[in-house]
Amino acid sequence: MDTDVLRDLRGPSAAAGGVFWQTERQLMVFDADAAARANTDNYADLTLPDRLLDLLLRRRSTPVSWKRVRSAWMAQLRTLSGEEGLAALDARMDSLLRARTGELLNLPWLGHEVSFRSLLPIVLDGLSSADSAKITEDAIAKLARLMGEAEEDPPWWRSWRPVSIQVKAGLVVRRALRRRSRDTTAARTDLTQPIAALLGELGMDRAVDAVTAVLTAIAGPPGAAAACVMYELVNRPDWADRLAAEFASAGTAELYRSGTRCAPVTHRFVKEVLRRWTSPTMLTRSVRTPMRVAGHDLDVGQHFVLSPAMVHQDPRHWRDPEVFDPDRWLPGAPHGPAGAQHYVPFGWAPTACVGAGLGLCQLVLLCRLLCTTYRIELSRPATPTMAIGPVPLPLGFDGRVSIRGRTNPKV
Ligand code: HEM
């Protein structure tokens, strides 16, 4: 595996001021201001695509604006990120870590597992364990592709498997939506509920797609970020100690109540992890409407690529961008961000991540668990390295999680 897909793009990007054609049909837009404008122009009138049935019958569906779906999710997320919601998320992460103590693990996969499984009830609550397993299997299959671990050229009898897994997961979502539309007592406080409420306007296909979009969103970047948090905590024991000291004075109740505010050192640490090891690395966009980006004309059918990771490594705006230093987030730090537009771990409006606040809180809670309750012990003394593919991936990062204060007989 090439360990840094960004390396070959840095030279041409610097020479062209951050915007250049990679192929005849694909414009790379790595300049922060140009990226923000391109994304706004491309999604100015974002409505959901027509329903499959209407496409087949060659008629238009009731238009539903994506903004409306996003606002409904964001309203629900305000409740889910409240005191009770964060306490429940923390408890789920705790029990997932506890269940894995003592096992020899691939730690990036552990990051994905803890992150995805603890977020799943926030997206789709009340699943039976069989249905939850189907959704998780689909997420694992998608992640394996993202992490370059999917089988290449499988024999024909295995090539249909990912499709079958995806269909089964889609049926679980469909059943949950149908149940909620028929039975008001099946309602839950999760991100599927606002979609169930819009079912009449959306139709089943578009509703399933909307819920699947969130399931896909929680199956990639949050777990990759969790793996990178683990990587930096292991590599920087001095920072792990600083975080532990902060958690010793900030109680968990206060953490649930005020989110990241009562843990400023950990907040800086997490922000720097999301800057230095940004996930996803690239966002590829199909051009939806003719537009001009930094002097380049783009037409429908062409593509442009945005990269929060390249924006975070742009030496025009970041001093020593390759240095991991959470203190660059101290107010007035000379090596801090040149402006808010140069820090975009959650993407750009109008499609920016709806779960940004919750994602940050989840990482702070994970830091607390790993600095106060659990300890990561690597199985090899060698320092792991970071590979930059579609998401950053620590390599050679295997080990065990143990409970602090208890010796692990298997290490
Ligand atoms: C550290 C954790 C997370 C990171 C780094 C992250 C990052 C991102 C990024 C970069 C995008 C793409 C934005 C774009 O296409 O312009 C995105 C989209 C999205 N994220 Fe997150 N995310 C995180 C956590 C979450 C969580 C916890 C949720 C929900 C519970 C969530 C839900 C979504 C959704 C629904 C979208 C699609 C938004 C749209 O297309 O309008 N994310 N996320």
Side-chain angles (χ1 to χ4, degrees):
M1 185 204 287
D2 186 347
T3 55
D4 188 351
V5 295
L6 301 179
R7 193 186 309 115
D8 293 344
L9 297 169
R10 286 196 183 111
S13 178
V19 183
F20 63 99
W21 290 96
Q22 194 190 29
T23 67
E24 266 176 26
R25 305 186 63 74
Q26 183 154 288
L27 186 69
M28 310 305 265
V29 187
F30 297 157
D31 175 74
D33 296 315
R37 258 194 310 278
N39 209 50
T40 305
D41 292 349
N42 201 40
Y43 294 116
D45 66 334
L46 190 54
T47 45
L48 285 159
D50 287 335
R51 301 159 54 172
L52 184 61
L53 178 68
D54 292 331
L55 282 175
L56 292 174
L57 296 175
R58 293 171 182 268
R59 60 183 194 204
R60 302 304 311 271
S61 308
T62 318
V64 177
S65 120
W66 186 241
K67 241 190 216 165
R68 202 164 142 218
V69 173
R70 286 173 53 89
S71 320
W73 279 335
M74 287 194 278
Q76 195 79 317
L77 277 163
R78 275 192 285 280
T79 310
L80 289 160
S81 315
E83 202 173 333
E84 252 179 61
L86 291 186
L89 178 66
D90 197 27
R92 287 194 293 272
M93 289 200 290
D94 190 0
S95 69
L96 287 159
L97 283 169
R98 196 163 298 256
R100 291 292 188 193
T101 51
E103 282 178 46
L104 178 57
L105 299 163
N106 173 301
L107 294 167
W109 271 105
L110 177 69
H112 280 287
E113 181 190 355
V114 170
S115 185
F116 180 79
R117 285 186 194 263
S118 63
L119 287 172
L120 181 54
I122 287 173
V123 179
L124 185 45
D125 194 15
L127 291 177
S128 67
S129 49
D131 282 351
S132 173
K134 285 179 196 155
I135 297 282
T136 307
E137 195 183 7
D138 185 40
I140 291 171
K142 285 179 183 149
L143 267 172
R145 285 199 289 279
L146 196 68
M147 288 163 75
E149 290 183 18
E151 191 180 8
E152 268 180 44
D153 295 326
W156 65 267
W157 65 88
R158 267 208 304 272
S159 57
W160 56 267
R161 216 172 152 253
V163 181
S164 134
I165 293 172
Q166 201 173 333
V167 169
K168 283 185 200 156
L171 288 174
V172 171
V173 174
R174 192 173 283 260
R175 271 199 305 274
L177 284 164
R178 197 173 299 130
R179 201 165 40 244
R180 292 183 197 198
S181 71
R182 287 183 187 153
D183 173 7
T184 48
T185 62
R188 302 271 172 163
T189 311
D190 62 11
L191 298 182
T192 299
Q193 198 56 39
I195 302 300
L198 285 173
L199 195 57
E201 282 170 77
L202 286 168
M204 188 53 95
D205 291 337
R206 292 193 297 187
V208 171
D209 284 351
V211 176
T212 307
V214 204
L215 288 170
T216 306
I218 60 158
C228 295
V229 158
M230 291 179 177
Y231 171 83
E232 289 299 352
L233 284 175
V234 168
N235 272 349
R236 296 174 201 277
D238 51 332
W239 272 96
D241 289 346
R242 282 179 75 177
L243 267 55
E246 177 166 80
F247 290 123
S249 53
T252 43
E254 203 186 334
L255 207 53
Y256 303 149
R257 230 184 351 264
S258 69
T260 54
R261 264 196 308 272
C262 71
V265 181
T266 312
H267 191 196
R268 288 208 294 282
F269 179 83
V270 166
K271 282 187 88 165
E272 183 66 349
V273 169
L274 293 176
R275 183 198 68 82
R276 182 66 187 93
W277 308 118
T278 309
S279 165
T281 315
M282 306 265 177
L283 298 165
T284 303
R285 310 293 200 210
S286 301
V287 176
R288 303 176 71 244
T289 176
M291 58 182 176
R292 203 167 164 76
V293 178
H296 302 270
D297 288 319
L298 277 167
D299 216 337
V300 177
Q302 292 183 307
H303 296 93
F304 65 96
V305 177
L306 309 175
S307 172
M310 287 292 274
V311 169
H312 293 165
Q313 301 298 312
D314 191 335
R316 292 176 304 167
H317 306 298
W318 292 94
R319 196 198 286 182
D320 302 326
E322 305 220 330
V323 173
F324 179 88
D325 182 3
D327 282 340
R328 69 169 79 237
W329 295 99
L330 281 169
H335 52 333
Q341 74 275 29
H342 301 297
Y343 185 62
V344 281
F346 298 103
W348 286 269
T351 52
C353 177
V354 296
L358 181 65
L360 271 176
C361 287
Q362 184 185 30
L363 293 173
V364 168
L365 294 173
L366 180 67
C367 286
R368 191 192 67 80
L369 287 167
L370 295 175
C371 293
T372 63
T373 310
Y374 299 95
R375 181 191 309 283
I376 295 175
E377 288 149 307
L378 293 189
S379 56
R380 278 170 286 187
T383 318
T385 52
M386 192 65 93
I388 309 293
V391 294
L393 177 64
L395 295 181
F397 197 40
D398 304 319
R400 290 186 166 86
V401 173
S402 58
I403 297 178
R404 281 178 190 259
R406 280 195 211 163
T407 47
N408 189 344
K410 294 186 206 152
V411 173

